[in-house]
Structures are given as structure tokens and as C-alpha cells.
């Protein structure tokens, strides 16, 4: 799965194109690309030899002639570590005039790539306090956005998560790093039952205070009764048949059963 954001990584800070973040990493006034990578099937290596579930992000520099150059290998060693990327955004979180990059990773720590002002980046996520939850847990991180929601002059981060995990709001405390205020801010409890995906800070009512929008939705099937939980309940779900033993079902199996059915197996009620 690839989530693509455009940004001038080597041009003028703070610009945006549509809903994606554009940033100037080394001030070359060209729109560059950052891509978060990670497959959607955790057992893809068994299905497609050579493919992997975690994958490294990509950084592509705009050459100014309609072509891009892959500069991932020279962006720093932290940029080449494979992870299951689901979302990213550019933001100058430390107000040094250089855009930094937050990458939301599924079930592993988030990356906060600090801009070294020379085309390279260093991951400071753990030190800054945005890699894990406030309780020190790795979460199913999905969508991400940034905004100054308290008029502090500093950019805070918001990250959506998988179900039974609260969405995270990391308040920027300046030199003290980030503080996870998910529960105390009121964004944690309502999000707990849902799988969060895309998200955005925006001023919904024009009162100058940023509000939050989150898109939710599960990705797999739900087996009812003996087959146990596999994914998503929907009002207009399609009934199909799957094996009654949940132990035999991987995520890949569940998707195949939802798409194709499984009449030759022992039956159980399922909704897709």
C-alpha cells in the first residue's frame, strides 16, 4: 500500500496542494515527493515471493524538468528502515524554518524525521514523544495531520489508529517535546471502537479554532458465531460461507472468503 504526498523537499516551506502537504526541504523551489510504503497483507511473503509486509519510505527529488530522482539512499540511514507506512505529513514542528516529516506506521513506532538542513533526516520520534502512545505502546497508526489547535504558535500532531486504540493527539510542548493528550483532550474515548484512516485539522465553524475530521471504516470481514471476529460489520453486508474454525483463517484467507466465498468448507454465518 502506498500513500503519496507531494512536497517540495528541496523548495518553499509551508505550501499546500489540495489536501496533501507540500514542503521545501532544501529550498530549491521544486515540488518533490515523499511516499510511505507498506503492504496491506501481513502474509504477503507467502503469497508473493519477494514481496514484504514492511517496506521503506521513498523520497524523490524534483529535477525541474518533469522528472524525479530517487534520493532515498542519501536521505540518511533512518530513512531506509522498512516499516508498514500508512500516512505522512510535512511540518516544521521545531520552528527552525525547515520542514520535518512524520510517518505513521502500522503496529510499530512512528517516525519523526528531523530535517538536518542538508537533504538528510534523523528519526527523533522516540526522543520527541510521538513514536509511541503516552503509555509506551506501539499502535496501529494510520492517518496523520498537524495543526496549531491551541494557538500556541507550535504545530501538534494527530494520528488515527486501529480499533480498540484511541486516536492520538500529541501536543507540541516546544523544547519539552510532545505530550500525548489523547484522553484529556476528549479525542480518545469516542474513537476507541473505530478503525481510523484519513484525518484533517480544519476550522469547521470559522471561529479560528481548529476542529478535527476523521474517516473511519474496517477493512476485513466479520464472522458471526463460531468463526469469530475477522473484520467489518455493515448494515448491507453480504452473507457468505467460511470455515467455522477461526484458527485456520489469516487476513488473506478472510479477504478471499469475502470476495469469492467458500462453499466447500464447513459453514458459518459471515457478513462482509
Amino acid at each position: 500500500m502506498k500513500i503519496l504526498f507531494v512536497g517540495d523537499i528541496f523548495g518553499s516551506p509551508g505550501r499546500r496542494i489540495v489536501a496533501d502537504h507540500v514542503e521545501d526541504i532544501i529550498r530549491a523551489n521544486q515540488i518533490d515527493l515523499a511516499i510511505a510504503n507498506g503492504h496491506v497483507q501481513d502474509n504477503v511473503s507467502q503469497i508473493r515471493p519477494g514481496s514484504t509486509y514492511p517496506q521503506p519510505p521513498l523520497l524523490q527529488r524534483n529535477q525541474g524538468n518533469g522528472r524525479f530522482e530517487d534520493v532515498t539512499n542519501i536521505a540518511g540511514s533512518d530513512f531506509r528502515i522498512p516499516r508498514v507506512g500508512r500516512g505522512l505529513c510535512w511540518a516544521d514542528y521545531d520552528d527552525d524554518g525547515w520542514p520535518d516529516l512524520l510517518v505513521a506506521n502500522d503496529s510499530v513506532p512512528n517516525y519523526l524525521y528531523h530535517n538536518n538542513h542538508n537533504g538528510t533526516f534523523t528519526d527523533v520520534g522516540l526522543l520527541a514523544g510521538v513514536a509511541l502512545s503516552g503509555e509506551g505502546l506501539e499502535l496501529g497508526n494510520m492517518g496523520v495531520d498537524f495543526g496549531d489547535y491551541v494557538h500556541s504558535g507550535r504545530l501538534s500532531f494527530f494520528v488515527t489508529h486501529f480499533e480498540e486504540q484511541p486516536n492520538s493527539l500529541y501536543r507540541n510542548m516546544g523544547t519539552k517535546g510532545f505530550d500525548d493528550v489523547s484522553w484529556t483532550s476528549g479525542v480518545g474515548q469516542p474513537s476507541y471502537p473505530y478503525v481510523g484512516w484519513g484525518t484533517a485539522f480544519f476550522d469547521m465553524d470559522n471561529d479560528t479554532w481548529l476542529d478535527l475530521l476523521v474517516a473511519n471504516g474496517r477493512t476485513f470481514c466479520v464472522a458471526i458465531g463460531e468463526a469469530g471476529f475477522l473484520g467489518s460489520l455493515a448494515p448491507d453486508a453480504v452473507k457468505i460461507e467460511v470455515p467455522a474454525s477461526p484458527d485456520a483463517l489469516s487476513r488473506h484467507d478472510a479477504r478471499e472468503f469475502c470476495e469469492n466465498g467458500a462453499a466447500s468448507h464447513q459453514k458459518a454465518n459471515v457478513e462482509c
Side-chain angles (χ1 to χ4, degrees):
M1 185 176 190
K2 298 184 178 180
I3 300 91
L4 177 66
F5 291 82
V6 291
D8 185 357
I9 56 173
F10 302 96
S12 56
R15 293 182 295 164
R16 285 194 172 192
I17 293 181
V18 193
D20 298 330
H21 301 276
V22 298
E23 294 291 347
D24 178 1
I25 299 297
I26 62 170
R27 303 176 180 177
N29 294 313
Q30 301 291 341
I31 301 298
D32 308 288
L33 300 174
I35 305 170
N37 294 312
H39 208 280
V40 295
Q41 293 176 272
D42 52 9
N43 64 339
V44 65
S45 61
Q46 303 172 23
I47 304 166
R48 185 181 302 167
S51 295
T52 60
Y53 185 50
Q55 300 171 354
L58 292 175
L59 198 59
Q60 297 181 322
R61 180 177 179 176
N62 193 327
Q63 295 180 313
N65 59 0
R67 298 181 62 84
F68 292 82
E69 175 190 6
D70 185 358
V71 295
T72 308
N73 288 333
I74 62 174
S77 58
D78 289 340
F79 219 94
R80 298 192 293 272
I81 301 174
R83 287 289 186 266
V84 185
R86 291 293 181 257
L88 52 76
C89 68
W90 295 104
D92 181 11
Y93 76 91
D94 55 357
D95 200 28
D96 65 354
W98 294 80
D100 312 291
L101 181 65
L102 179 67
V103 179
N105 296 309
D106 189 3
S107 301
V108 293
N110 294 321
Y111 285 151
L112 179 57
Y113 293 111
H114 180 260
N115 193 321
N116 296 325
H117 308 177
N118 59 3
T120 67
F121 297 82
T122 301
D123 177 26
V124 297
L126 283 172
L127 292 175
V130 297
L132 307 170
S133 72
E135 295 78 22
L137 301 176
E138 297 176 343
L139 300 175
N141 306 289
M142 301 295 169
V144 59
D145 200 10
F146 69 90
D148 180 9
Y149 74 98
V150 287
H151 292 186
S152 66
R154 297 184 292 266
L155 298 177
S156 299
F157 291 114
F158 181 74
V159 184
T160 63
H161 297 128
F162 205 74
E163 65 186 346
E164 297 185 358
Q165 299 174 355
N167 291 338
S168 294
L169 180 59
Y170 298 101
R171 181 172 178 176
N172 192 332
M173 307 300 290
T175 56
K176 297 180 180 179
F178 290 83
D179 185 18
D180 183 352
V181 296
S182 308
W183 294 108
T184 56
S185 66
V187 302
Q189 190 278 331
S191 65
Y192 195 80
Y194 305 114
V195 179
W197 294 100
T199 185
F201 277 109
F202 73 113
D203 184 3
M204 177 177 64
D205 49 5
N206 292 322
D207 64 353
T208 76
W209 294 91
L210 291 178
D211 308 295
L212 273 170
L213 176 67
V214 178
N216 298 312
R218 291 194 182 100
T219 57
F220 304 113
C221 302
V222 168
I224 308 301
E226 294 182 1
F229 174 77
L230 295 176
S232 178
L233 277 174
D236 56 349
V238 177
K239 300 279 185 176
I240 61 169
E241 300 169 340
V242 300
S245 171
D247 296 333
L249 297 175
S250 67
R251 287 186 175 184
H252 171 68
D253 295 329
R255 190 184 74 169
E256 282 198 341
F257 288 130
C258 281
E259 291 177 351
N260 306 319
S264 61
H265 294 79
Q266 184 178 349
K267 298 178 176 60
N269 289 328
V270 171
E271 296 184 350
C272 289

